[in-house]
Amino acid sequence: MFSAILTPFVLAAVIAYFLDPIATRLTRLRLPRTLGALLLVLGMVAVALLGVLLLYPLLIAQVTVLLQRLPSYVLGVGQAVRDALVALSEAVGPEMFDQRLQDLAVGQAGAIISWLGTSIARMIGGTVALFNVFTLVTVTPVVAFYLLRDWPAMLARMDAWLPRRSAATLRQLARDTDRVLSAWLRGQLLCCALLAIYYAAALSAVGLELGLTVGLVSGLLSFIPYVGSITGLITALALALAQFGTWNGVLLVLAVFLAGQVIEGYIIYPRLLGDRVELHAVWVIFALFAGGVAFGFLGVLLAVPLAAVLGVIARYWLRRYLESPLYLDPPRTGS
């Protein structure tokens, strides 16, 4: 019933959780918690506004280029697919590929490029519509400030409500959840930012006209393991084939993404996340998609925290089971 208005509050809680360690360090430097929370939230708002002012006009300009070039993109992909089919027909024999099959393949390739182009244009053009401007500018920062300011007091109050007999166990479960969740959330956000910068710069450097847009989207979608990079790769390859009309440009784009995967797998993730994240990629993918299907953007925000909590509780009960007589000395049945 309240899912339509819960999103800014959940987003504010994510922001407060992300900024809490910095606020705690400022408090240790004898800066009042209220002032530190205010400075952090204002800094976050300033960075967000700066990003919108710098990036949104560029993205809109790229949408204009996309809409203008879309017919030529469709023709370029069709010609490239036709040439490839002709070469394949000569290699395996014309009886394997008749003219109708070639025309069907060319038409489908053009339809895919047209769909990709219009989808990207709608996505960028409707980004602001995804977030209510009033909510983004006022409600989320205000709620984030109050949560960040009162975070220690809220934790202390909840700790006082714990049943005394199980308080130590519940505190340990909370610490384990915080360790897993903080490692994933903060590390993943940094990874997405670095990958977005890399893909946007590299794709623009190889001459892809929509490289900035595709690179940023690919980096931001990297929080979904494998899905984000595969989606960005397919989109970039299709647009490269449409723009360049030759396979050399496609190979350059492929090299960019292969290098990105190497950087991601061997440099960024080991240094920023390491072995602290105890969330399997399949579990994260399932949680994100299940949350999105159930509650939309709100479900995506809640998916990983709930997955982390369930993972910690499952591992705790598994340890209890492995230490219990039920596992070590199961009851014997029969005579």
Side-chain angles (χ1 to χ4, degrees), residues 62-323:
Q62 294 220 321
V63 169
T64 304
V65 172
L66 174 62
L67 295 178
Q68 292 175 350
R69 303 284 180 85
L70 193 56
S72 62
Y73 282 178
V74 173
L75 293 176
V77 168
Q79 185 60 43
V81 172
R82 184 177 290 107
D83 295 341
L85 290 178
V86 169
L88 186 60
S89 177
E90 294 175 353
V92 301
E95 64 277 359
M96 298 294 295
F97 293 95
D98 59 11
Q99 188 61 38
R100 289 178 300 175
L101 182 59
Q102 294 184 23
D103 294 340
L104 178 61
V106 171
Q108 290 299 319
I112 291 173
I113 289 297
S114 180
W115 177 81
L116 281 175
T118 53
S119 298
I120 293 175
R122 289 175 182 174
M123 180 185 65
I124 298 175
T127 298
V128 176
L130 295 176
F131 300 94
N132 185 277
V133 175
F134 174 77
T135 298
L136 183 63
V137 175
T138 58
V139 176
T140 299
V142 170
V143 175
F145 164 72
Y146 282 111
L147 289 177
L148 186 59
R149 186 194 66 175
D150 300 331
W151 200 273
M154 290 188 297
L155 291 182
R157 181 65 60 88
M158 287 187 289
D159 182 80
W161 293 339
L162 297 178
R164 296 298 92 187
R165 178 179 299 180
S166 306
T169 300
L170 293 175
R171 291 192 192 105
Q172 184 60 46
L173 291 176
R175 284 192 291 267
D176 292 342
T177 302
D178 176 68
R179 174 177 52 81
V180 173
L181 187 58
S182 62
W184 190 90
L185 177 63
R186 298 182 180 103
Q188 196 68 51
L189 287 177
L190 290 175
C191 289
C192 289
L194 293 175
L195 289 174
I197 294 172
Y198 164 75
Y199 283 128
L203 292 176
S204 300
V206 299
L208 190 65
E209 291 178 336
L210 300 174
L212 176 65
T213 302
V214 176
L216 291 177
V217 173
S218 300
L220 295 178
L221 288 179
S222 296
F223 75 93
I224 308 176
Y226 306 112
V227 175
S229 58
I230 293 175
T231 303
L233 173 62
I234 295 174
T235 304
L237 291 178
L239 291 175
L241 183 61
Q243 175 185 335
F244 300 117
T246 63
W247 298 104
N248 292 331
V250 174
L251 292 177
L252 285 176
V253 172
L254 181 61
V256 167
F257 274 88
L258 290 178
Q261 289 301 300
V262 172
I263 295 173
E264 176 184 347
Y266 293 96
I267 298 178
I268 296 179
Y269 272 78
R271 291 182 179 273
L272 294 182
L273 276 76
D275 298 328
R276 297 171 296 168
V277 180
E278 300 178 18
L279 291 174
H280 195 277
V282 176
W283 180 232
V284 173
I285 294 173
F286 173 79
L288 289 171
F289 277 89
V293 170
F295 301 106
F297 183 68
L298 174 64
V300 174
L301 291 177
L302 293 174
V304 174
L306 291 178
V309 172
L310 292 176
V312 169
I313 294 176
R315 285 189 290 271
Y316 168 74
W317 283 110
L318 180 60
R319 290 195 301 268
R320 289 287 302 269
Y321 163 70
L322 294 177
E323 296 170 355

Side-chain angles (χ1 to χ4, degrees), residues 4-22:
I5 65 170
L6 281 178
T7 299
F9 294 91
V10 175
L11 184 60
V14 172
I15 293 172
Y17 179 77
F18 184 80
L19 296 177
D20 176 65
I22 305 176

